[in-house]
Amino acid sequence: MLKRLGFAITTRNLWSSFGFGFGFPPNLPSCTSLQLSSSSTVELRIRTRTIFKVMSASRNSTPVNEKDKQVLQDFKLLNAVNDRYGGVVVEVREPMESALFASVLRASIAQWRQQGKRGVWIKLPIQHVNLVEPAVKEGFWYHHAEPTYLMLCYWIPEGTHTLPANASHRVGIGAFVMNEKREVLVVQENTGRFRGTGVWKFPTGVVDEGEDICTAAVREVKEETAVDTKFIEVLAFRQSHKAFFDKSDIFFLCLLEPLSSEIQMQETEIEAAKWMPFEEYTAQPFVQKHELLKYIADICLAKKDRNYSGFSPVPTSSAFSDEKNYMYFNTRDLNGQ
């Protein structure tokens, strides 16, 4: 038996912690080796000189065939990196049989519990989808999914977990673009709820991951109409709930200055696009019927004709990131103009 850091490990009790349902093999040596790295990654490796296939074994199984024996085999706990909140993060990089993964996962959780860890995050690349079921059976649940991986999580302490929820909002933009003739850039969509309705609307779209609001607004206008623009400010924003797969939604109404006028519509999403007199846009029955659109029209008109100030993007830095990010605020009133 070898003792380190206040816990004891033997080949026999580790065999049990793996969850193997059959008895401890009499010919398994009791020697073990414990390796602890100096980094935040903790790896426990048990070396034995005679290990046989555990997936096919059972309490009443026949003696193991010589072909199934291996001269040297390593069993190790999952490599885990400590996070900032008393938990660990595991990223599975190598393929593994489901049954073996379940056993190693149970042993890993036992060690993390002894170490006082809290949350456990397991990132499973899509090629390791076979490991999802054993993880769920051990008590893990889905946190979020991306095109190439699934993130699962687990809470070790008793009681309600304090792990952060998945992203709760989708972020969208609407672009108010008016030229010197007081014509506003509008489109008719050939997909979605406005398809076939004849409604003219502002160019809209969803902000991509890692994309700034101001950049997304310029991009969406360019993609839908080929008109070049300059972002000026955020005029207003609206929050709604249960909008897209039960996620909440934040929509930013953005003022953009046109830098070109020629329109080439995006045929995959846009049925028509044109410059329309602002009064004609606001006179549409659909705009007059909905309170939100009436507010949008009033805000846009107030910006053009009265003393309305929105929020301009100001590049800033912070203690949370070395990259530049934007703070949106009323720069005119702040500067006393």
Side-chain angles (χ1 to χ4, degrees):
M1 181 172 65
L2 185 63
K3 294 184 177 181
R4 289 292 187 271
L5 300 180
F7 59 89
I9 299 174
T10 66
T11 311
R12 184 179 298 274
N13 63 34
L14 187 65
W15 184 269
S16 300
S17 71
F18 279 157
F20 298 151
F22 48 94
F24 181 78
N27 60 343
L28 184 64
S30 61
C31 62
T32 64
S33 67
L34 179 64
Q35 299 177 359
L36 295 177
S37 66
S38 59
S39 67
S40 58
T41 300
V42 180
E43 179 181 277
L44 178 64
R45 187 181 300 271
I46 296 86
R47 298 184 180 275
T48 68
R49 292 196 175 277
T50 309
I51 293 289
F52 42 83
K53 291 184 176 179
V54 276
M55 266 67 77
S56 62
S58 66
R59 183 176 298 275
N60 299 320
S61 61
T62 56
V64 179
N65 193 302
E66 287 295 330
K67 293 181 180 180
D68 291 337
K69 293 182 179 179
Q70 299 180 10
V71 176
L72 180 65
Q73 171 131 359
D74 289 350
F75 277 99
K76 61 181 180 178
L77 302 186
L78 295 171
N79 288 336
V81 177
N82 295 328
D83 65 22
R84 296 180 179 179
Y85 306 98
V88 294
V89 180
V90 176
E91 182 171 357
V92 178
R93 300 181 183 275
E94 301 296 332
M96 190 181 302
E97 292 293 334
S98 299
L100 178 59
F101 175 74
S103 299
V104 174
L105 180 58
R106 282 194 294 270
S108 299
I109 292 174
Q111 175 178 303
W112 296 328
R113 178 177 287 109
Q114 193 167 21
Q115 294 173 343
K117 300 300 181 182
R118 295 159 58 82
V120 179
W121 302 86
I122 294 185
K123 182 179 180 180
L124 285 179
I126 194 169
Q127 62 267 29
H128 303 316
V129 66
N130 66 303
L131 305 183
V132 174
E133 183 177 0
V136 170
K137 287 183 177 180
E138 291 303 319
F140 281 78
W141 65 89
Y142 295 169
H143 186 267
H144 67 272
E146 295 293 341
T148 59
Y149 74 87
L150 174 67
M151 184 70 78
L152 299 102
C153 52
Y154 180 88
W155 188 247
I156 295 178
E158 297 292 335
T160 305
H161 77 82
T162 59
L163 296 176
N166 183 24
S168 60
H169 285 69
R170 183 182 65 163
V171 180
I173 62 91
F176 171 50
V177 187
M178 180 180 282
N179 61 19
E180 295 179 351
K181 301 177 182 179
R182 292 181 66 88
E183 296 173 329
V184 62
L185 183 62
V186 292
V187 299
Q188 288 183 339
E189 296 178 342
N190 60 15
T191 60
R193 62 173 299 186
F194 292 107
R195 178 182 180 182
T197 62
V199 172
W200 293 96
K201 57 184 288 293
F202 292 168
T204 58
V206 176
V207 179
D208 292 336
E209 182 178 353
E211 185 178 37
D212 292 309
I213 295 170
C214 52
T215 304
V218 172
R219 173 184 57 77
E220 285 290 349
V221 173
K222 181 69 172 180
E223 289 179 355
E224 294 189 1
T225 67
V227 174
D228 294 316
T229 58
K230 175 184 176 182
F231 185 91
I232 304 300
E233 61 188 26
V234 171
L235 297 177
F237 68 90
R238 177 228 63 201
Q239 182 187 31
S240 63
H241 305 288
K242 303 292 183 181
F244 184 76
F245 289 106
D246 290 333
K247 295 294 184 181
S248 298
D249 182 273
I250 295 183
F251 176 84
F252 290 90
L253 175 63
C254 303
L255 172 65
L256 284 77
E257 176 186 332
L259 302 178
S260 64
S261 60
E262 183 179 353
I263 295 175
Q264 295 179 6
M265 66 181 185
Q266 182 186 39
E267 296 182 355
T268 57
E269 297 183 8
I270 303 302
E271 183 71 26
K274 66 178 182 179
W275 294 98
M276 173 184 285
F278 185 73
E279 292 73 15
E280 184 179 341
Y281 164 78
T282 59
Q284 293 182 99
F286 187 81
V287 174
Q288 292 297 316
K289 178 181 177 181
H290 291 86
E291 186 179 32
L292 173 65
L293 296 180
K294 290 175 65 176
Y295 271 123
I296 288 177
D298 290 343
I299 291 169
C300 293
L301 188 62
K303 177 61 185 178
K304 287 298 182 180
D305 296 343
R306 298 194 294 276
N307 199 27
Y308 182 92
S309 293
F311 300 98
S312 301
V314 177
T316 61
S317 59
S318 72
F320 305 105
S321 174
D322 294 332
E323 297 183 2
K324 288 290 184 180
N325 51 75
Y326 288 99
M327 180 78 171
Y328 294 81
F329 56 90
N330 184 338
T331 56
R332 188 187 69 175
D333 288 351
L334 181 67
N335 297 328
Q337 299 178 359

